[in-house]
Amino acid sequence: MNKKTIIANWKMNKSLAKSINFAKNLIKNYYETDNNIVICPSSICIHDVLKIFSDTNISVGAQNCFWADRGAYTGEISAEMLHEIGVEYVILGHSERRTYLSETNEIINKKILNSLENNLKVILCIGEKTRQNNNINSIFTDIEECLKSVPKNSFNDIIVAYEPVWAIGSGVSLDPENANIICENIQEFVENKYDFCNIKTIYGGSLNPENSKNFLNQPKIDGILVGNASLDLNKFIKIISK
Ligand code: PGA
């Protein structure tokens, strides 16, 4: 099996004490896997979590960043700042930010361009809102708008996270075979449109220790993005273990 990327999105959960505790216990209880593990804590916990993982192959990601390097943008954090402290990944375009903070594809595009310039790897979230409205063309439009002006040599640093919005936090995931087909369609779209083969595509939405292996075993699914189940150490260890 190819190396897969397993990303934990803690969202606005876990205080600093809880984040530190989880990170230390993850190292204690975790045996090496061949997969890439990326933990995305809340921004105020990133620095401490990074220090704990410094001698391991576990990476740290941010859940968001701004589109400019610095300036009068009260409350924001830049990709430059994240990269300086050792953050490797940033999640952009998550549906919760689209919903609660009105992020548009245009805003997400600016954030992606700035993150790539600052050497962060981008986890771009896209996915249909409802189960009925599952027209793949709307996913392609989102990808096109979010990746506008991205240079071809940056596509290696982009992971497209296919997350059907209706599956996030609902306890109902898409079935792995269909998720595999959508990931394949996304790869083909990117190949035709940008002449870039095998862009990394991962699945997210109501993953748990019971269903995650079925997704990781799919040939076109390069990894998974785990929300709720990544908050529980035992569940997360089961998910990342072979
Ligand atoms: P969930 O969240 O695993 O709790 O459904 C996934 C996500 O929002 O990335």
Side-chain angles (χ1 to χ4, degrees):
M1 196 166 81
N2 290 339
K3 205 170 186 173
K4 306 265 171 163
T5 301
I6 302 177
I7 302 166
N9 176 10
W10 286 353
K11 310 191 181 183
M12 198 178 71
N13 292 294
K14 292 200 190 294
S15 61
L16 181 60
K18 286 186 175 150
S19 299
I20 291 173
N21 193 39
F22 185 109
K24 286 187 175 159
N25 281 319
L26 179 61
I27 296 173
K28 250 193 239 156
N29 292 288
Y30 156 81
Y31 52 89
E32 295 289 310
T33 85
D34 294 336
N35 295 327
N36 298 317
I37 310 295
V38 183
I39 305 288
C40 303
S42 71
S43 53
I44 58 160
C45 303
I46 286 177
H47 195 243
D48 287 73
V49 170
L50 263 168
K51 278 196 257 168
I52 295 167
F53 291 146
S54 60
D55 292 331
T56 72
N57 55 6
I58 300 172
S59 303
V60 173
Q63 298 174 16
N64 175 46
C65 68
F66 195 61
W67 65 69
D69 287 340
R70 67 196 77 82
Y73 304 105
T74 302
E76 293 296 328
I77 293 173
S78 71
E80 186 185 68
M81 292 170 180
L82 292 169
H83 182 254
E84 188 198 282
I85 62 166
V87 171
E88 280 180 64
Y89 293 83
V90 61
I91 299 173
L92 294 173
H94 193 282
S95 71
E96 286 147 16
R97 294 196 61 86
R98 292 179 191 258
T99 303
Y100 301 124
L101 294 140
S102 308
E103 284 198 4
T104 60
N105 284 340
E106 200 187 336
I107 292 174
I108 294 158
N109 174 245
K110 291 206 275 182
K111 292 183 173 194
I112 290 176
L113 291 172
N114 183 268
S115 297
L116 293 168
E117 269 169 31
N118 283 289
N119 301 310
L120 291 185
K121 295 191 178 81
V122 168
I123 302 153
L124 165 62
C125 301
I126 42 100
E128 74 277 5
K129 282 207 172 60
T130 64
R131 211 164 187 170
Q132 293 71 36
N133 178 16
N134 61 353
N135 182 352
I136 187 88
N137 287 323
S138 70
I139 289 179
F140 295 161
T141 304
D142 285 343
I143 293 178
E144 224 176 318
E145 290 178 3
C146 290
L147 297 186
K148 195 169 158 215
S149 308
V150 168
K152 195 180 154 194
N153 62 4
S154 290
F155 274 75
N156 252 327
D157 293 327
I158 297 170
I159 297 175
V160 178
Y162 168 57
E163 297 202 295
V165 178
W166 53 265
I168 296 176
S170 68
V172 182
S173 63
L174 183 64
D175 59 276
E177 291 75 20
N178 277 332
N180 187 62
I181 292 172
I182 308 255
C183 286
E184 185 170 24
N185 290 340
I186 291 170
Q187 291 178 0
E188 283 168 5
F189 172 76
V190 170
E191 187 171 345
N192 293 334
K193 173 100 199 153
Y194 305 97
D195 191 27
F196 183 84
C197 293
N198 296 324
I199 188 152
K200 285 187 205 73
T201 50
I202 65 174
Y203 170 83
S206 291
L207 291 160
N208 57 47
E210 287 72 45
N211 65 12
S212 52
K213 295 285 174 293
N214 295 335
F215 287 89
L216 290 168
N217 285 333
Q218 300 293 327
K220 299 293 176 185
I221 298 182
D222 298 306
I224 51 176
L225 179 49
V226 190
N228 220 6
S230 73
L231 297 172
D232 179 304
L233 185 69
N234 291 329
K235 286 187 187 166
F236 190 62
I237 286 178
K238 279 192 191 133
I239 289 172
I240 63 177
S241 304
K242 273 186 198 150

